[in-house]
Amino acid sequence: MPEIATPASTKAYDRLRALQREAGTLASVSRLLGWDQETYMPNGGAAARAEQQSLLAGLSHDRATDPRLGELIAECEADANLNAPGTSTAANLREMRRDYDKAIRLPRALVQELARAGSESQQVWKKARAESDFKQFEGSLTRMVGLARQKAECLGFSEGGELYDALLDKYEPGMTAHEVEAVFTPLEKRLSVLVSELLDSGRGPDDALTRAEVPADRQHAFGLMVIERCGFDLERGRLDTTTHPFCEGLAPGDTRLTTRYREERWTDAFFGTMHEMGHGLYEQGLPKLAGQYEDVPASHFGEPLGESISLGIHESQSRMWENFVGRSASFWQWLAPHAHAMLGSGLERHDADAICRAVNTVSRSYIRVEADEATYNLHVMLRFGIERALIRGDLSVRDLPGAWNERFEKMLGVPVPDDRRGCLQDVHWSFGLMGYFPTYTLGNLYCAQLWEMMNKAIPDIETQMARGEFGEILTWLRTNVHKHGKRYRAGELCERVTGEPLSAEPLLRHLEGKLKPMYGLA
Ligand code: ZN
C-alpha cells in the first residue's frame, strides 16, 4: 500500500530526515576519530583528540535536543498517513520520538559530568586492575554508580519496573530487568548442570593445537581470506589491528573491523575476527546506501530505519558467525585444508575433526572474554545480578569483591584468585556502562533462535558450509534481519521471524547437541 501524506507534513518529514542525516554524519566523524585513536593515533595526540571528541559530543547533544527537531516530529506525528500502523514512516517516527524524549530528559550538565567522570574513572580502573587492587577503584566506581542512578532517575521507567530498566532500555529498547531474569534463571540452572556434566566426564578434547605458533602476517592473510569468502565487502570495509578488537559501522560504505594477533594462540585472532565480521556484515547490510535493496530504495543513514535494533541483535550476528558457523564441524571441513596451507606451524598434522574439537573445548576460567561458548553466559549472568543489585542499592560498592567472588565460585565452581581476574576485569563499569552486560547473553539467545529458523529455511546449510559457501546464509540474514534497520523491536523481530517469543531452549539445544557428543556423553 502506498504511503500518502499531506504536502505540508511530507515537507516536515523530509526536513526531519535531512536533520537526522546531518546528525548521523556528525556522529560518523566522531566514530572515525575513535577508530583512529584505537588503531594508528600516536600517544601524543591524546589530549587534542579528547578536545575534538568533547566538542563533537557537545554539538551532537545540542542537535539531539534542538526544539525545532521536537516540533518537526510533532508535526509529522499529527499526520495519520505518516503514522499508519505497520508503515516504515511510523516506525521511523516512533524511534525519533523515543530518542528525542530521552535526550531532552538528560540535563546537559549530567551528560558532561558522565563523560568527564567516565574518562577519569577509566584511568583509575586501568591502574587498579594492573595492580589488582580494588580499593583504588572503590571511590571512582561509587561515583559512577551514583551517576548511573541519577541518569536512570532522569530517564524514568514503566510502572511496576525498576531503576535498572531505564539503563537497560538504552541498549535493549523495551526490555526490562524482570524479562531478562525470566529467561536467564532457567538458562543458568541448565548451563551449570551441562558444564558439570561435560567437565566431570573427563573426556574433553585436546586443545594443544590452538597453541601452535603462527606468525601474525599469516594469521592476517588467513583472516582476510575467510571474511571475504563469508561475504564481508572489502571495497566497503577494512580489517586493522588494535589492542581491544571492535567493529565500527563508520559511515555508509565504510565498515571497519579490528583484531589482535597473538602468535602463541592463533585461535584468539581468528575467532575475534569472525566475531567482529558478524557485526560488520550487519553494519554493511543496514540500508545506509541508496539502492542497496530493491524494496528499500532510499538511503536511511542517520535515521532509525538505517540503524541496528539493539545491542542484543547486533551480538546475535557476531555470535552466529563466530560460533554457529565458525565453530561448526562443516565449516572446518571446508577450512582445514586452507588452514594447513596458509597457517602451517604443524597444523597440517590435524584434520578438520581434530581442529573443530579443539576450538570447542570447555573449561572453568576466570576471564569472560576468553570463556568458551558454554561457560560464557554464566559470566554474563553473574554481572547482570551484581549490577542490578548495585543500582537497586541492595549491594554497596565496598562489598562488591566479596559478592563477586562468592557468586563466581557458586556458578563456575572455582575460587577467584584475585580482583584482576575477578571484579576488575571488565572496562564497562568504569565508564558507567550499566545495563549493558545482559545484551551479550541476549545476543546468544537471539542467535540460537534465528539459527534454528534459518536451518529450516536452508535445509542443506551444513553441505553449503562444508563447501565454503555462505551466500544463502548471508542473504537470509539480510532479508530477515539487516534490511529492516530499527523497524521492529528485538522481541517483535524474533516473533516475526521465528514465530516464538525469546526462549532459552534453542541455545541449550545447540550447546547440548554439539558439546555432549564431543565429551562422549551422547
Ligand atoms: Zn560483539
Side-chain angles (χ1 to χ4, degrees), residues 275-276 279 314-315 318-319 440:
H275 180 96
E276 300 310 335
H279 285 304
H314 227 305
E315 195 68 5
S318 57
R319 287 275 160 181
Y440 291 123

Side-chain angles (χ1 to χ4, degrees), residues 450-461 476 498 509:
L450 290 169
W451 182 256
E452 281 194 352
M453 209 56 212
M454 190 200 292
N455 273 259
K456 284 182 193 149
I458 312 173
D460 64 337
I461 194 168
W476 190 91
T498 72
R509 276 196 287 271

